Structure formats: C-alpha cells, structure tokens
Amino acid sequence: MRKKEMLAMLLAGGQGSRLGVLTTKNAKPAVTFGGKYKIIDFPMSNCVNSGVDTVGVLTQYQPLSLNQHIGIGIPWDLDRKNGGVTILAPHVKGGEQGDWYSGTANAIYQNIGYIDANDPEYVIILSGDHIYKMDYSKMLDFHKKNKCDVTIAVLEVSLEEASRFGIMNADENDKIYEFEEKPEHPKSNLASMGIYIFTWDELRKALIEDSGVHRDSDFGKHIIPAMLGRGKSLYAYRFKDYWKDVGTIESYWAANMELIKALPEFNLYEDFWKIYTNSEHQPPLYTSADASVIRSLISEGCEIYGTVENSVISTGVVIEEGAVVKGSIIMADCVVKKGAVIDRCIIDEHTIIGENVKMGTGENVPNEAKPKIYNTGITVIGSDSEIPDNVEIGKNCVVFGKSTADMYKNGKLESGQTIDIGGIDI
C-alpha cells in the first residue's frame, strides 16, 4: 500500500467543564453551534477540505452523542475502505484493564498502532473544540519547505492575553527557540493554537520516550519542550484568520451571536470552504402570518408563530403564538409555549418552556453555586428540561430537569439561583 502523506488525530474527548450544564450529557465537541452544526464539524470539515482523508477521532468523556454524530463519516466523505474516519476510544491493550487517556500526548501514544497501520509520513494533531476554517495542506507545505520536525500553528494575541496560552518565541524566520507554557511575563505574542504537524518518525520516538517519564504525557508540557531541548527543528506557522475557543458560556453565546450580523466575521455560507454536518432531513422552516423574525438564524424544521430577534434557533424548534425570543440560543427540538419571553438565554435541546414564562429578568447576580461559570447575565437551561407555566427566572440561573411550580418560591427563581433535579453538580 502506498505510504500516506498525512493523517489527522482529532482530540475530541474533553469535558468542557466551563460550559457548565451544556456538557452534562455531551463532550464539548458535540455541543451545537450555529443552529445546525456541532463544534467538531469545523475541524472535520477542515480535514476533508484540506485533502486529509484519514482521521482518527479520540473520544473519552460522554462519547455517545459524538459517536452517533460522526457515524461512519458520510457527511465529510470519510466513509472509506482505506482511511476514512475511525473512532478511537480508550481500550484494553493487554491484561484485564485499560487506561483512560491521561494527557494529549498520552492519547496519541495509546494509538501508535492505529497510526502505524496507516503508515503516514506526517501526523497533524487537532483539537475538536475550536471554531475556525484552516487549510492544513498549506501548513504541511510550510512544514516540508522548512524541513521541520514539528510545525506549530500560532495566533498573534495581545500581550495582555498571552499569559493564558502556550507562547512560542521565534526568530525572524519563525524558527522556534523557546516555548513558555502560560508565562506570567510573556516575551512574545505567538500563542499556540494546539494544532501541530509532526514528522511521524520523530513524534513516534518522542512519544515512546516520554511515556516512560510522564504518565500524563502532554504536548505543551512535555513533548514540545523535550524535542526543542534535543535540538529538533520547530517552526511557528502564523494563522491570521478567524479562530475561537468557545470554552465559556459567554464566549459560546457571543460566537453564536456574531453569526447573525449582516457581515459576520466568520462566514458559514462560503461555497469554496463548506462546513459539513450530519443533519437529518427536516421539513422546511414555517413562519406564520403573525410571526416576526429579525436578524436571526433559523434552522430547518422550525415553526415560528411568535417573535424571534437576534437569536440562533436550531432544527425542529417551535415558537408558539405570542412568545418572544431575544438574544438567545435555542437548541434542537425545544418548544417555547404561548406568551413566554426569553431574553439572553441558552436553552439546550428537547426542552419545554411553559406558557407565560419570563426568563432572563432582574439583576445580574452571579450564580451562587458556580459563580465562575455563570456570571455574565446569561441563563442556561439544560437538555430535556421542563419549565412550568407562569414562572419567572432571573439572570445567571441554571435549571436542569423537569422542574415543577412548587420549586419556584412565589413563582420566581431569583437571579443566581439553581434548580438541579438530577443532583449532578451543574
């Protein structure tokens, strides 16, 4: 079999705990984005658009919905006999017990056999939880031109932000001479995007060597500093387009809201770089004679009888008569009943909002249980939840489960309060 030029390993096992209740049942890469997509659709589509036809998807946390979404890779033309997409979960490799993936590099190390079986010259390591469009073939050309052992995609960020990232210090030719992991006083603003191209022979040796030293082997903490210390050739590949880590409730909400601008910075409608997804066939969108839709993304299969403004609405959502949705994200198969008013909220899939509910009211009080997650005025309702008729819910509230009227003191859930039916620490 002819040697494969490049294989992609897509790390998609992250919990995404800063997204709170949105990742109770899903890994972060399986969270809905832009109405009809999942976050993982973006790196998957980048692969097929870049000519990468062999993709290993490494799953771990809450993998069911992610596995179902990817399937055999049909939407991305990755349903192939040779190559295609393969789900790589932790598994027993000998004896009676297997090991969880304990670090980004450890996850790749545990799948050396899969990579060897495909025999690539180069391996690209990707994260499954970022929103961007990138031609990996151009990065590979850069890697080959500079005879790199490792090429690291970087973004230029402000020096104030730089301490949040792994920072690459490079010379005038972008050859990296120093790597700093989240430095307190950064020397440059070249932030790692967590996208790496390795010459496979070099990476294979580094993974095996580090596995004997660090059980939680990680690219940023261990592999890259070790290769740099051994004098390997590392280069920074500058990426100057749109890239977002939607890792918090606020950043996730804001990135969705950016899509509804007349000229969005991130364009989902480009024919030359399509974003593919596993979308079921839905009936057409229906808007009634009395419906009002203003500057919003409305997906297939929705029925709009009320008002939708500045919002992103996923497939199969019903907005009943007199209901108003403003500045909100409503995920698949939700129902917003008559007279409800939803303002600056995120409502996860299969949720029912009762009649005349008022949501997103009151003062911006951080959530008492999780103030670091819910603190920007956005109220979040978990999947498969129910909100009873005629109640009022404040800002930074969280509800998960089928709540009943007696759970709302005087018909209200004050700002910063939580109702967690499942008791699962949301």
Side-chain angles (χ1 to χ4, degrees):
M1 186 170 61
R2 183 172 61 89
K3 194 174 183 70
K4 192 176 294 294
E5 184 171 47
M6 186 162 72
L7 173 147
M9 296 293 276
L10 206 166
L11 300 167
Q15 181 175 355
S17 57
R18 292 180 300 158
L19 286 177
V21 72
L22 298 181
T23 52
T24 297
K25 295 183 178 180
N26 291 320
K28 181 181 171 184
V31 172
T32 298
F33 184 83
K36 65 180 289 184
Y37 304 100
K38 303 291 186 183
I39 294 175
I40 198 170
D41 291 336
F42 296 89
M44 289 280 288
S45 297
N46 288 339
C47 284
V48 67
N49 288 328
S50 302
V52 179
D53 63 5
T54 305
V55 181
V57 180
L58 288 78
T59 63
Q60 181 155 282
Y61 174 80
Q62 294 283 18
L64 180 60
S65 62
L66 191 63
N67 294 351
Q68 290 173 334
H69 179 70
I70 294 171
I72 60 172
I74 292 174
W76 304 275
D77 191 30
L78 290 172
D79 52 327
R80 303 176 181 219
K81 185 176 180 180
N82 294 317
V85 66
T86 303
I87 303 294
L88 301 168
H91 57 281
V92 175
K93 297 157 189 75
E96 296 181 357
Q97 292 185 328
D99 290 322
W100 292 110
Y101 298 146
S102 56
T104 55
N106 174 263
I108 305 302
Y109 168 75
Q110 291 197 41
N111 288 284
I112 282 178
Y114 165 77
I115 302 174
D116 281 345
N118 283 281
D119 194 24
E121 291 185 57
Y122 308 100
V123 171
I124 184 167
I125 311 297
L126 305 170
S127 170
D129 53 11
H130 298 142
I131 307 296
Y132 67 109
K133 297 178 182 179
M134 183 176 183
D135 188 343
Y136 303 138
S137 68
K138 292 182 179 179
M139 185 175 172
L140 180 59
D141 289 343
F142 176 91
H143 181 89
K144 292 191 288 188
K145 177 183 176 183
N146 289 285
K147 296 180 172 60
C148 304
D149 296 309
V150 189
T151 299
I152 300 171
V154 297
L155 278 173
E156 294 184 20
V157 299
S158 67
L159 281 174
E160 291 75 24
E161 290 181 287
S163 59
R164 295 172 40 226
F165 296 90
I167 296 298
M168 305 297 151
N169 298 321
D171 64 19
E172 65 276 7
N173 297 314
D174 289 328
K175 185 173 184 178
I176 298 167
Y177 60 84
E178 185 181 25
F179 171 76
E180 298 179 285
E181 179 69 20
K182 298 181 179 178
E184 188 175 344
H185 302 291
K187 299 173 187 175
S188 84
N189 66 340
L190 296 181
S192 170
M193 298 167 63
I195 299 172
Y196 317 109
I197 291 180
F198 290 89
T199 300
W200 172 233
D201 289 345
E202 293 296 334
L203 176 58
R204 193 180 192 282
K205 286 184 283 188
L207 290 171
I208 293 171
E209 181 177 316
D210 196 67
S211 70
V213 181
H214 302 106
R215 190 181 180 282
D216 60 345
S217 185
D218 181 87
F219 284 107
K221 294 176 183 176
H222 307 127
I223 300 295
I224 290 169
M227 294 183 77
L228 195 60
R230 290 199 301 270
K232 297 298 179 182
S233 177
L234 281 74
Y235 275 75
Y237 177 78
R238 295 174 186 255
F239 182 70
K240 298 183 178 180
D241 212 332
Y242 183 97
W243 180 88
K244 281 286 171 70
D245 179 359
V246 288
T248 66
I249 291 293
E250 174 66 22
S251 64
Y252 173 78
W253 179 86
N256 273 274
M257 292 301 110
E258 287 174 5
L259 298 175
I260 63 179
K261 294 178 180 177
L263 293 172
E265 185 181 355
F266 187 69
N267 190 348
L268 291 172
Y269 302 99
E270 294 168 329
D271 283 337
F272 69 91
W273 201 269
K274 289 184 177 180
I275 303 300
Y276 301 95
T277 188
N278 185 356
S279 59
E280 300 173 356
H281 292 292
Q282 296 276 352
L285 160 69
Y286 174 77
T287 55
S288 74
D290 297 323
S292 173
V293 177
I294 301 171
R295 204 174 74 158
S296 297
L297 285 181
I298 313 290
S299 301
E300 306 98 317
C302 290
E303 299 177 34
I304 311 297
Y305 302 91
T307 298
V308 180
E309 297 181 13
N310 302 320
S311 295
V312 177
I313 311 296
S314 291
T315 55
V317 171
V318 178
I319 311 294
E320 292 188 353
E321 296 91 340
V324 177
V325 176
K326 295 182 178 180
S328 295
I329 301 166
I330 314 291
M331 298 191 200
D333 302 313
C334 290
V335 177
V336 180
K337 291 193 172 182
K338 296 178 181 178
V341 178
I342 312 297
D343 188 5
R344 196 174 156 86
C345 297
I346 301 172
I347 300 175
D348 209 344
E349 57 191 25
H350 307 297
T351 288
I352 298 173
I353 307 298
E355 293 186 8
N356 303 312
V357 168
K358 303 292 184 286
M359 193 182 297
T361 63
E363 298 295 317
N364 185 15
V365 178
N367 186 269
E368 288 184 2
K370 294 289 181 71
K372 291 183 179 180
I373 294 177
Y374 311 101
N375 55 31
T376 57
I378 300 168
T379 281
V380 186
I381 311 298
S383 63
D384 301 284
S385 296
E386 290 186 13
I387 308 299
D389 297 345
N390 303 309
V391 300
E392 185 174 341
I393 299 175
K395 299 181 188 299
N396 295 316
C397 290
V398 185
V399 180
F400 181 71
K402 299 183 185 331
S403 62
T404 55
D406 60 291
M407 298 175 182
Y408 297 80
K409 187 177 180 180
N410 298 320
K412 292 184 71 172
L413 187 67
E414 299 288 351
S415 292
Q417 299 293 307
T418 296
I419 295 177
D420 177 8
I421 310 301
I424 53 174
D425 189 30
I426 56 176

